Every structure is written in C-alpha cells, then in structure tokens.
Amino acid sequence: MAQVEIVDTADVKTQEMVLNMGPQHPSTHGVLRLEIGTDGEIVRWVRPHIGYLHRCFEKHAENLTYPQVIPFTDRMDYMASMNNNLGYVLGVERLMDIQVPERVEYIRVIVCELNRIASHLISFGTYGLDIGAFTPFLFAFRERERIFDMFEMTCGARMLYNYIWVGGVSHDLPDGFIEAATAFVDDFEKSIDEYNGILSGNKIFIERTANVGILPADMAINYNVTGPNLRGSGVKWDLRRDEPYSIYDRFEFDIPVGRGEMGTVGDCWDRYMVRIWEMEQSRRIVKQALQQIPKGNVHAAIPKQVRPPKGECYFRTETPKGELGVYVISDGTTKAYRVKVKSPCFVALSVLPELCKGAMIADVVAIIGSIDIVLGEVDR
Amino acid sequence: MDGYLSAVVFYVFAAITVLSGAMVALSSRLIYAAFSLLLTFFGVAGLYIFLGADFIAATQVLIYVGGILILLLFGVMLTHRIYDFKILSTRVQFVPSVIVVGCTFALLLAVIFGTRWQMVKEAPPEYTAATIGKLLMTTYLLPFEAVSVLLLVALIGAATLARRDLTSGEES
Amino acid sequence: MQALAQYLIQTFGLPVPLSVLSPLLGFMGGVVVLTAIAVQAMYLIWLERKVAAHMQDRLGPMLVGGWHGWAQSLADGIKLLLKEDIVPAAADRPLFLLAPLVVFVGSFAAFVCLPFGDRVIISDLNVGIFYIIAVTSFVVIGIIMAGWGSNNKWALFGAMRSAAQIVSYEIPVGLSLLAAVMAAGSLSMQEIVAAQDGGIHRWFAFRNPFLFVAFVIYFLASLSEVNRTPFDIPEAESELVAGYHTEYSGMRFSFFFLAEYANMFAVAAIAATLFLGGWQAPWGGGAPIFGVIWVIAKAHFLVFVQMWLRWTLPRLRVDQLMYIGWKVLTPFAFACIVGTGAWMLVFKQG
C-alpha cells in the first residue's frame, strides 16, 4: 500500500493583503482610515490613521475668550454636546471659584443626562446598522427627535447648543419643558424594552457580537480606557459615583457593568448592553431631578467678564464616551493660556488594534461599533 | 415546414457549441476561454433537448454550468495575475504537423461518412426522468453504487488535501 | 402553447401552420412574461419601501403620483434609464456589458415553467421543477462575470462570496424540493399542483410534518439564493460597498435590481406551487381566472414575509452563513426526505 503524502501547506505561498477601510466608509463612524493587514479572512494588524477631522480646537481656545470657546466644545463630541460644555465650564468655574445656584445645577444634570441618552441612542442605532439590522436605527431616531424638541424649546438649537455657560446656563427652562420631559421619561421605559426585543436578544445579533473583540479588564485599565468600554469589561468605575462633581451625589442610580452573560466579559455584546442599561439609569436620574428641581434665577452667578486668576486646573467629567479631562491654564487675562482636552474616544481608538488581532474582517466593523467613537472628539 | 424550423434551430445550437468550443481552445485570454465554456455547455444542453433527453439536458446545465464551470472560474480568477497571462501557442515544426493533422482529419471524415448510423425510428419515452430512475435502481444499480463510492473517495481526498493546520491561517 | 395554437387554428380557421404558430405564440408568451416581470418588479420595489417604512414607524413614498406615491418606482425607473452609461476604463468591456444580461436571463428563464392556472403556463415541461433549479445557476455565472468585469478587487470578492453562498445553498433547495417531488410523484409543475387538489389539508406544507419542515428549509435556503437579509452579505458587506454591482450604474444597475426582485417573486411562486397548492383555492379546485389570483396572492404573501425578515433581522457573517447551510439545513433536508418517504410508506397516501 503506497504511502499517502500530504502536501505541506507551507509550500503554498499566501500573501498578506493590506486592506484600506475609509476615510469615507459607511461603518467607520466618521472620517477614519483603517489600514488592515489580513491573511485571508483573519486580521493580523490594524493601523488607524486619524486627523481628518482636526480643527485646531486647542489653538482656537488660546485666541478666544472663555465664553467664546464654549461653542467650540460643542463640536468636539457632537453627539453629546452638553456634556462637553459641562466639562469645560466646570474647569473654568473651579479656577474662578464660582458657586452656581441650585436650579442651575439641576438644569445642568437634566440636560446632560438627556444628552447621554441621545448619544447612547445613536450608538445603539448605528451599531444595529453596522450589523445589518436597519430598523433599530429609526426607532432610536424617534426618541432622539423628542429629546431634540425639548432642547430646541430650551435653547433654540437641536444638536450644538452653547447652553451651559460659565456660572450658569444661557436660558432658563421654558414653560412646558418639565411636562415634556416627564412625559418622555415615562414613555422611554417602554422604548428600552422595545430595543431589547428587536436587537439585544436577537440570536443573530448575539452570534455576531458575543465573544468578539474581548477587552480584558487589566488591558482596559492599562490603556486608560474609560466609560462604557471600561464598564463593559467588568470594572465598576464611574466618575459620577467615584469622584462626584456637580450634584450627582444626590441621585440614586446604579453603575451597570458587563457580566459576560452571552459570551465573555468584555466582549462587544457587554459593551453594547452597558450602554442600554446606562440609558435606563440616566432616565432614573432625569426623573429624580425633575421632581427635585427648585426655583431660582439661572443668571445670578454669571460673571460680567470671565477673567480667572492665574492658575491651572484639571477637571474630569463622565461623558457618554468616558472620562473627558479638561486642563485649563489661565494667565490672568480673559483668554486662556492653554486648554488641553483629554478625549476618551482617542484612548478607545488606541485599543482598537489590540481588539482586532485575530478577528475576522466582518468582526472589525462590529468592534468599531462597540467602542463607540466619534471622530470629532478623537481629532478635536 | 416543421422539419425546416427544427433544422434551423439545430444548426444554430450546433454553431453555438462549435464556435464557443473553438473560442475555448483558441482564445488567447484564459478568462474568455473559461466564459466561452458556458456557451459550449449551453449548446450541448440544447442538442440533448433535440434528442428528447430533457432530464439529461437539465442535468447538463445544473452540473456543468452550475458546478464545474463555477469551480473552473474560481480557479482561474484566484490565480495570481491571471489577467496578464496570454496563452500563446508557439509553432514548432510547421510542415510535418500540417501533414499529420491533415491525415488525421481525412481519416476521421472517412470513419464518419463510412459508418452506418443507426436511425432510431420510435419516439423517445415520455417521462425520461422516471425511466432513468427505474433503470438506475434495477438494471444499472452496480454502476450507480460504484460511482457513489468514487464520489465519496474524491470528497474525502479533496477534504484531506484542503485541510490546513489549526495554527496557520484559515480556509477562506 | 401547442394546445393553445391548435385551439386558435381550429376555432378561427387561421391559415397558419401549427409549426409556425406554436413557436410564435411561445415567443409572444415570453414577451408577455417579460413585461409582467418588469411591472411586477416595479410594484414589488414600491411595496418593499412601504413595508420598510411602516415597520420603521414612518410613511415611505407618499407624493409621486398622488395616492401613497404609487408612481415612485416608475419615476425611479425613468431616472435610471436617463443616467449616463458609465463603463470603467479599466473594466473588461465584453464581460462587463454581458453580465447583467446573463443574470437577468437566469431569472427570466425560470418563469417559463411557473403555473398560473389550470392550463395557464408557458410550457409544462416534464422536468419542470428540475429545469427551474438548473436554469437559476446561470445567475451565479452572471454574478461572477460582473465581479470580474468590474476590475475592482472588492467587487471580485463580493462576487466570489455570492457565488459560494448561492452554490452552497442550492443543495438544501434541491433536497427540500425533492421531498415535495416525492410526495407528488412527478417533476412536472402542473402535476405537482394537481397532486395537492382537495383542500388546504392536502397542500404539501400541511400534509405531513416532514414536508412542513421541508417548506421552512426551502424558504430559508431560497432567501439565501436571492441574497436577502439575513444572508445579504454580498450586497451590504461593509468593506465591499455594494458587492458585485459596485461599478454598475443606470440601466445596467436596474437590470440587476430587476433580476433580484424577479428572483424573489420566482422563488416565492415556486414555494407557493410546490408547498402551498399553487393555483388551487383553499377549498380545492380553481377556475382559470381565480387560479391566477390565488397563486399570485400566495406568492405575494411569501414575498411579504421575505421583506418582513429583511427589515427585522441583522446580517449573518460569512462563516456563520456557511455553517447554517451545510451543517443545519442540509442534514435536516435529508431527514425530511427520509421522513416523507417513511410517511408515504406507512400512510399509503402522498
């Protein structure tokens, strides 16, 4: 009987192929260029190229007065503009040692948490779109429209607000806002159940996202990943609870973390579910704030001229994307000497090459969607 | 009139088969040769219809076009830089080859015109599929089983050859 | 067509011989089918947009033509016709131009054998259903031609993926149809419909549980054949932009589009014929006119389910898709064949 010789597959020469995803691409959540080195279907390395959306925010901040910088902060993470405003303004207020009225604090919490819901809705909707489910995107936009209507009622703008000012807010809440917001939070509970029904529990969606793009907790901490990405890996760290700013310590809310229910702790499904759970928690916060909000004059503490004393301040807040750090150096004039922003999306993008190692090409899209980056904040 | 129309259609199908077959053999670009095979298979299926073998004609399209041609195309297209590859037949010893080919051609013509082809007078059976099925299960059972075993051996061989180690790469 | 030609000659005393009238009628029948497919596809595109819209809590086309935007597809068709005919400079011209035609021919040829009524069928072949399965393999060749002819790496990979997907799912399609053919005892489409005569409990899908599973397997496998979600990787894979028809625009693109919707209707009609009684009414029998309405209604219901699935479910990854085709649907289809045979043996009826 002749010996059967199995041809050594090392003789077959295969080439490593370099794919280019972007800069224009339906699934990269902005202008991002990814160089992907693949061997057949498996990804060997990923090299992100950023900077396509760089608009010199930090340079502008040196040439404008402090209030003039606030519209520029809107445009960093344009999905969660209120939270960006808040981060910058709190830094300046700390420098100037301003105490804002109670009503202002409550208003700020309400709009920031509503904006968190809006940002997570986008993340949920576009993630469904990346995986191939078209309908959740439109369901998400239905709720976003209601939030935008409320914001338009308040400050006149739907997406980029310039609302939170140094020492207060630009406009007081109009008549009808409290009613609209209460109606929204009551209806939103059913909406979250709808989202879980159509996407989170869907077998195909789970197959595409569970055990994909696993981010271990220690790697997340080493890379300084924060926000839902960190909590998805099981680490219970939220600045609103662990280093409370504003009046977050007055509200009762949970910090959801990923538990590896469908796959491993820290996979795409966990990160996605953490955002869904966070929407529920934000809803709770808004509901409590709407019940507790006092009366007052929102313009009482706004200084005539924003001229912080010489000094520096690093203030960090929890935005929907993670920990936003704003470092302000004041030289005593009306314009800042230096404003540096630490962007959570930039850090999340830096861990992408690690997550994609050994994944399939189709999984790269799922992984990018799960870390929820906004290129406006990555590039500033 | 009836015979006239069917003769025209027959010659059309024969022309399709022969011309596309010529393109397969003579085309300089491998891709065009592969795609001309589609027309050849289609023409042969048409000729089967003329013989009243409807089941065979459908099988011809299903197996040859739907399976073998696709396999060929995959093989051709996944070869590196196949588009630049031109098949040039070089001419070697022109005069002796013309003589040999001419003699073979004459021999074949003599055989074709000299044979007494059997003209089948009766019409083909109405339900060829049922007849073929019955024959395969009764008279031709042994060849049927033998072919199945052959296919099984081919499958196992292909799977063994295509298998790679679990450490390096992955089948596409 | 032969019978119709004979009938016309005898009734109206036409001086045309049978051998000329029969193919002429066949040709005219083909033209009628072609027109019907085009109109049908336009209607289905409008229906898809409306179904999608209502599932997504919005309205869809409302303006063009007045009532619920019924003329929207017409307007889009005219727009596509008037677009500039772009052929990429580096594309393989003959293959690029030929590909949409091959794809369309593959879809169109299947309509020859679909029964729309008691004797309303273009050609009742003895190997009807087998012919349909065979002729849809032309579509795969056309797709590969389109991918290659575009001279675009991603179009080529999309075409390869699509071809592999369709070829893999041809097996569950064939096997599940085989179960129905066993119950009918014939490959001829009209005989298969006639075997389901007698009421809704005699339809193959409801006759025995194995055939119902075969129906489900056929429906899922045919979803993959027409590249619909959740199997629509070739069309909507994120790095492939639009797959094998990336480089096509204008009239050529509309050929692919038309072929896709024609295919959708064809596989739905095949499922309706083989498993849901074809042109039979639920209470058995069917007059010629109503037969057409019944079969089209059943096919449209299945098309609606296809659309429903598209707008609800996410997309499967390529390896998951192959897994389902080879390791789930095919074994179950085999089991259905064995089960149907056993059922027929035990219960002595189809």
Side-chain angles (χ1 to χ4, degrees):
Chain A
M1 183 91 165
Q3 286 276 13
V4 172
E5 194 181 75
I6 301 200
V7 175
D8 187 9
T9 54
D11 289 340
V12 178
K13 215 159 59 113
T14 54
Q15 239 183 343
E16 190 184 75
M17 206 171 56
V18 177
L19 287 181
N20 218 355
M21 238 175 109
Q24 293 156 307
H25 203 284
S27 297
T28 52
H29 294 256
V31 264
L32 167 70
R33 178 173 159 228
L34 285 180
E35 243 187 296
I36 308 176
T38 67
D39 176 16
E41 275 282 328
I42 305 282
V43 172
R44 292 268 167 251
W45 50 263
V46 170
R47 206 177 292 140
H49 295 262
I50 57 176
Y52 289 90
L53 210 47
H54 179 65
R55 294 150 294 169
C56 312
F57 164 76
E58 294 174 2
K59 181 68 186 165
H60 281 305
E62 294 171 15
N63 295 326
L64 301 164
T65 65
Y66 289 90
Q68 284 176 327
V69 173
I70 297 175
F72 283 78
T73 60
D74 276 329
R75 284 144 176 84
M76 283 196 306
D77 176 6
Y78 37 81
M79 296 298 170
S81 307
M82 294 289 193
N83 292 278
N84 291 2
N85 285 355
L86 185 68
Y88 175 73
V89 159
L90 284 178
V92 178
E93 282 175 2
R94 166 80 63 83
L95 267 180
M96 292 181 69
D97 216 359
I98 295 178
Q99 191 67 340
V100 291
E102 281 285 299
R103 187 172 171 85
V104 168
E105 297 270 35
Y106 276 93
I107 293 178
R108 283 178 177 179
V109 166
I110 291 173
V111 293
C112 282
E113 291 306 311
L114 280 177
N115 215 310
R116 189 181 306 266
I117 295 176
S119 171
H120 285 329
L121 278 173
I122 277 276
S123 141
F124 153 75
T126 53
Y127 200 40
L129 216 53
D130 289 339
I131 304 289
F134 303 95
T135 313
F137 183 70
L138 287 138
F139 287 177
F141 267 73
R142 206 180 39 191
E143 265 67 63
R144 259 175 79 92
E145 277 303 306
R146 293 183 68 172
I147 298 180
F148 284 168
D149 285 341
M150 287 191 274
F151 286 158
E152 191 180 2
M153 205 194 292
T154 312
C155 62
R158 281 163 52 90
M159 201 153 131
L160 303 167
Y161 313 107
N162 186 18
Y163 183 61
I164 301 182
W165 285 357
V166 178
V169 288
S170 69
H171 298 79
D172 197 352
L173 297 177
D175 300 326
F177 182 91
I178 306 272
E179 289 77 30
T182 319
F184 173 74
V185 295
D186 289 333
D187 293 337
F188 194 59
E189 204 165 6
K190 288 187 239 73
S191 302
I192 295 189
D193 291 330
E194 203 176 28
Y195 304 151
N196 284 331
I198 197 172
L199 198 58
S200 321
N202 186 301
K203 186 84 179 15
I204 299 179
F205 180 72
I206 295 174
E207 295 255 326
R208 287 292 300 270
T209 53
N211 291 318
V212 167
I214 299 171
L215 179 64
D218 53 344
M219 185 189 286
I221 296 175
N222 284 342
Y223 272 82
N224 191 18
V225 172
T226 50
N229 296 328
L230 179 66
R231 292 194 277 282
S233 299
V235 180
K236 206 167 185 137
W237 174 260
D238 187 326
L239 284 176
R240 296 172 292 170
R241 171 64 41 88
D242 297 301
E243 277 185 22
Y245 52 93
S246 186
I247 49 167
Y248 276 103
D249 44 1
R250 297 192 205 173
F251 300 111
E252 213 181 281
F253 60 100
D254 302 324
I255 309 293
V257 289
R259 290 187 297 268
E261 270 173 33
M262 291 293 167
T264 331
V265 176
D267 58 17
C268 290
W269 195 85
D270 276 342
R271 288 193 285 278
Y272 158 84
M273 265 329 271
V274 162
R275 294 195 178 93
I276 304 280
W277 290 325
E278 273 186 15
M279 282 202 282
E280 168 65 31
Q281 298 307 315
S282 294
R283 190 194 72 86
R284 281 176 72 187
I285 298 176
V286 174
K287 194 167 175 144
Q288 292 167 48
L290 286 170
Q291 286 162 350
Q292 298 172 17
I293 185 168
K295 300 226 181 302
N297 180 6
V298 299
H299 298 138
I302 296 183
K304 280 233 178 11
Q305 201 187 46
V306 179
R307 190 196 282 262
K310 253 202 197 157
E312 56 188 37
C313 168
Y314 180 79
F315 201 96
R316 43 190 196 162
T317 53
E318 181 84 19
T319 64
K321 305 291 186 294
E323 173 188 309
L324 180 76
V326 178
Y327 181 49
V328 183
I329 305 179
S330 159
D331 55 0
T333 62
T334 50
K335 300 189 184 159
Y337 177 73
R338 175 86 169 96
V339 173
K340 159 100 180 100
V341 170
K342 175 221 172 259
S343 149
C345 291
F346 183 81
V347 176
L349 190 58
S350 73
V351 83
L352 183 72
E354 284 295 327
L355 293 178
C356 290
K357 272 209 178 82
M360 295 177 65
I361 297 181
D363 291 332
V364 170
V365 174
I367 297 173
I368 296 178
S370 75
I371 57 174
D372 191 23
I373 49 173
V374 170
L375 266 300
E377 198 180 61
V378 171
D379 292 336
R380 275 151 281 150
Chain B
M1 200 61 168
D2 197 9
Y4 187 60
L5 194 61
S6 72
V8 164
V9 179
F10 170 77
Y11 278 115
V12 166
F13 270 108
I16 291 177
T17 315
V18 170
L19 285 176
S20 57
M23 268 196 75
V24 172
L26 301 174
S27 175
S28 62
R29 287 255 183 79
L30 201 54
I31 276 291
Y32 291 152
F35 277 114
S36 310
L37 209 49
L38 168 71
L39 287 171
T40 315
F41 290 149
F42 178 66
V44 172
L47 293 174
Y48 276 133
I49 302 263
F50 266 97
L51 289 171
D54 47 3
F55 184 77
I56 302 288
T59 315
Q60 162 86 5
V61 173
L62 182 64
I63 305 290
Y64 270 103
V65 173
I68 296 182
L69 183 61
I70 294 180
L71 187 64
L72 274 174
L73 285 172
F74 266 75
V76 165
M77 284 179 185
L78 290 176
T79 311
H80 191 48
R81 291 181 57 195
I82 195 71
Y83 196 71
D84 312 324
F85 183 71
K86 276 191 168 51
I87 314 170
L88 284 171
S89 321
T90 52
R91 280 197 222 154
V92 176
Q93 295 182 322
F94 185 61
V95 174
S97 59
V98 167
I99 296 175
V100 170
V101 168
C103 289
T104 318
F105 185 57
L107 188 63
L108 283 173
L109 274 181
V111 168
I112 289 175
F113 283 112
T115 317
R116 255 175 301 156
W117 299 102
Q118 273 196 324
M119 303 291 247
V120 176
K121 286 285 188 249
E122 71 248 11
E126 179 80 47
Y127 294 104
T128 55
T131 319
I132 292 176
K134 284 208 186 79
L135 284 173
L136 276 179
M137 285 287 130
T138 52
T139 323
Y140 298 101
L141 186 57
L142 183 59
F144 184 58
E145 294 293 331
V147 167
S148 323
V149 173
L150 183 65
L151 279 173
L152 184 64
V153 168
L155 262 176
I156 296 177
T160 315
L161 281 175
R163 196 158 61 119
R164 296 192 195 188
D165 315 317
L166 291 170
T167 48
S168 70
E170 193 203 276
E171 44 204 271
S172 59
Chain C
M1 282 298 128
Q2 189 94 358
L4 182 63
Q6 209 136 31
Y7 172 75
L8 281 177
I9 290 177
Q10 279 166 358
T11 324
F12 297 105
L14 294 167
V16 186
L18 186 68
S19 57
V20 167
L21 189 60
S22 192
L24 193 66
L25 279 179
F27 179 74
M28 279 165 53
V31 171
V32 165
V33 170
L34 187 60
T35 322
I37 292 179
V39 170
Q40 164 86 334
M42 292 209 312
Y43 162 69
L44 280 181
I45 294 173
W46 173 85
L47 187 68
E48 167 117 62
R49 289 173 71 163
K50 280 307 222 184
V51 165
H54 284 277
M55 286 190 181
Q56 292 165 356
D57 213 359
R58 52 188 182 91
L59 289 173
M62 292 292 285
L63 296 176
V64 182
W67 181 79
H68 280 279
W70 62 268
Q72 182 71 46
S73 309
L74 201 62
D76 287 336
I78 296 176
K79 175 203 78 173
L80 279 172
L81 267 173
L82 296 175
K83 271 199 172 180
E84 180 187 349
D85 184 19
I86 301 178
V87 177
D92 194 326
R93 229 191 143 82
L95 292 178
F96 188 82
L97 298 178
L98 207 55
L101 301 178
V102 175
V103 170
F104 191 68
V105 160
S107 317
F108 173 54
F111 279 83
V112 162
C113 254
L114 291 179
F116 285 103
D118 195 358
R119 267 164 304 174
V120 183
I121 184 174
I122 304 285
S123 173
D124 188 14
L125 296 177
N126 279 337
V127 290
I129 187 65
F130 195 50
Y131 158 83
I132 291 181
I133 301 177
V135 102
T136 44
S137 48
F138 272 100
V139 175
V140 189
I141 304 285
I143 290 177
I144 297 182
M145 240 192 240
W148 177 265
S150 304
N151 196 23
N152 179 342
K153 233 195 288 187
W154 315 134
L156 184 61
F157 285 144
M160 297 287 187
R161 289 251 183 89
S162 181
Q165 178 183 325
I166 295 181
V167 165
S168 314
Y169 275 80
E170 264 177 25
I171 295 174
V173 163
L175 291 176
S176 50
L177 288 178
L178 190 60
V181 164
M182 271 172 65
S186 161
L187 286 169
S188 153
M189 294 293 258
Q190 289 287 35
E191 287 188 27
I192 292 176
V193 175
Q196 297 178 68
D197 197 356
I200 194 169
H201 60 282
R202 298 271 302 162
W203 291 354
F204 286 156
F206 307 123
R207 212 185 262 200
N208 74 54
F210 295 104
L211 277 175
F212 184 72
V213 176
F215 171 49
V216 172
I217 293 177
Y218 174 73
F219 187 71
L220 291 176
S222 67
L223 267 185
S224 179
E225 294 282 308
V226 294
N227 285 336
R228 297 281 295 181
T229 322
F231 307 109
D232 68 343
I233 286 164
E235 286 183 353
E237 171 88 273
S238 341
E239 90 260 17
L240 297 173
V241 188
Y244 57 89
H245 54 71
T246 310
E247 297 282 348
Y248 284 89
S249 64
M251 198 57 209
R252 301 183 203 288
F253 171 73
S254 67
F255 260 108
F256 280 115
F257 220 49
L258 226 68
E260 170 169 338
Y261 282 91
N263 247 345
M264 270 173 67
F265 182 77
V267 297
I270 293 169
T273 305
L274 283 192
F275 290 102
L276 293 180
W279 45 261
Q280 312 256 7
W283 45 82
I289 310 291
F290 284 112
V292 177
I293 297 181
W294 279 117
V295 78
I296 291 186
K298 289 174 196 173
H300 273 199
F301 170 69
L302 289 176
V303 168
F304 171 71
V305 175
Q306 288 179 345
M307 292 181 182
W308 187 3
L309 287 177
R310 176 179 186 184
W311 299 109
T312 315
L313 296 176
R315 193 179 306 135
L316 283 170
R317 214 170 52 202
V318 163
D319 61 323
Q320 293 165 342
L321 185 148
M322 288 300 183
Y323 178 88
I324 289 184
W326 288 100
K327 294 197 191 168
V328 177
L329 290 184
T330 307
F332 271 97
F334 273 122
C336 283
I337 294 179
V338 172
T340 308
W343 186 279
M344 282 170 68
L345 211 58
V346 169
F347 289 102
K348 291 282 183 283
Q349 50 125 5

